[in-house]
Amino acid sequence: MSELRDLYQEVILDHYRHPRHHGRVEDASNEADGFNPLCGDRIHMTIRLDGEKVEEIAFEGAGCAISTASASLLTEALVGKSKQEAKELFERFHRLVTTEDATSDDEAELGKLAVFAGVREYPVRVKCATLAWHTLKAALDKDQDSVTTE
Ligand code: ZN
């Protein structure tokens, strides 16, 4: 188990140090701001939809390792997904980090995102891990108010 944990940490640190899809999408069709006051994490997410499909997605901002890695892994997972698939993935992710009820199906669908299962034990960290997802949802719903985890 500790080997698995090390592997998880490695994935998180890698995405923190080298965030994927970092920056802004040109000609974004959707965007939103997210803020986690408990930790001070800030995210600005931009998305370009092609119909119902996420064509491009990027994020910028400043945050802790968990929030940055979560945003990075999210953007990587979301390219090519439909809005509906994105929301389903959000539900699976939320179940994984907040409950013991995540199924093996959830974990399979989440792929690398399953590395965040460990944050479940640290409620403060759950806010860091889910910030990007709440921001994503606000962007897809075109909910203009900026998102806060509080
Ligand atoms: Zn944080």
Side-chain angles (χ1 to χ4, degrees):
M1 189 62 202
S2 83
E3 246 174 65
L4 200 58
R5 271 179 200 249
D6 289 348
L7 181 70
Y8 282 5
Q9 286 218 321
E10 230 170 81
V11 172
I12 289 171
L13 281 176
D14 175 44
H15 278 261
Y16 172 54
R17 290 182 183 136
H18 310 285
R20 320 303 199 261
H21 301 270
H22 194 255
R24 270 172 192 257
V25 168
E26 274 179 46
D27 304 320
S29 55
N30 300 59
E31 57 188 304
D33 286 301
F35 177 49
N36 172 18
L38 272 185
C39 183
D41 310 314
R42 284 181 190 280
I43 280 183
H44 181 72
M45 192 171 281
T46 48
I47 302 169
R48 189 171 64 244
L49 290 174
D50 175 16
E52 287 291 298
K53 218 172 81 176
V54 175
E55 192 175 50
E56 262 197 75
I57 177 167
F59 77 100
E60 60 189 353
C64 67
I66 300 279
S67 70
T68 304
S70 176
S72 173
L73 281 152
L74 176 156
T75 54
E76 204 175 51
L78 262 280
V79 174
K81 293 264 198 302
S82 70
K83 276 164 79 174
Q84 185 55 35
E85 287 169 329
K87 285 178 187 177
E88 279 168 21
L89 210 55
F90 175 50
E91 280 163 31
R92 290 183 194 277
F93 187 80
H94 202 256
R95 196 151 55 223
L96 178 83
V97 297
T98 59
T99 72
E100 302 278 339
D101 305 335
T103 62
S104 52
D105 194 36
D106 287 336
E107 296 199 14
E109 286 292 323
L110 285 165
K112 265 196 254 172
L113 288 162
V115 296
F116 291 100
V119 305
R120 198 188 293 144
E121 295 158 46
Y122 310 96
V124 173
R125 288 299 179 198
V126 170
K127 310 258 185 196
C128 301
T130 55
L131 176 66
W133 289 89
H134 288 292
T135 310
L136 167 77
K137 191 163 179 291
L140 290 177
D141 291 343
K142 296 217 170 194
D143 184 353
Q144 296 301 327
D145 291 337
S146 108
V147 181
T148 160
T149 53
E150 287 305 290

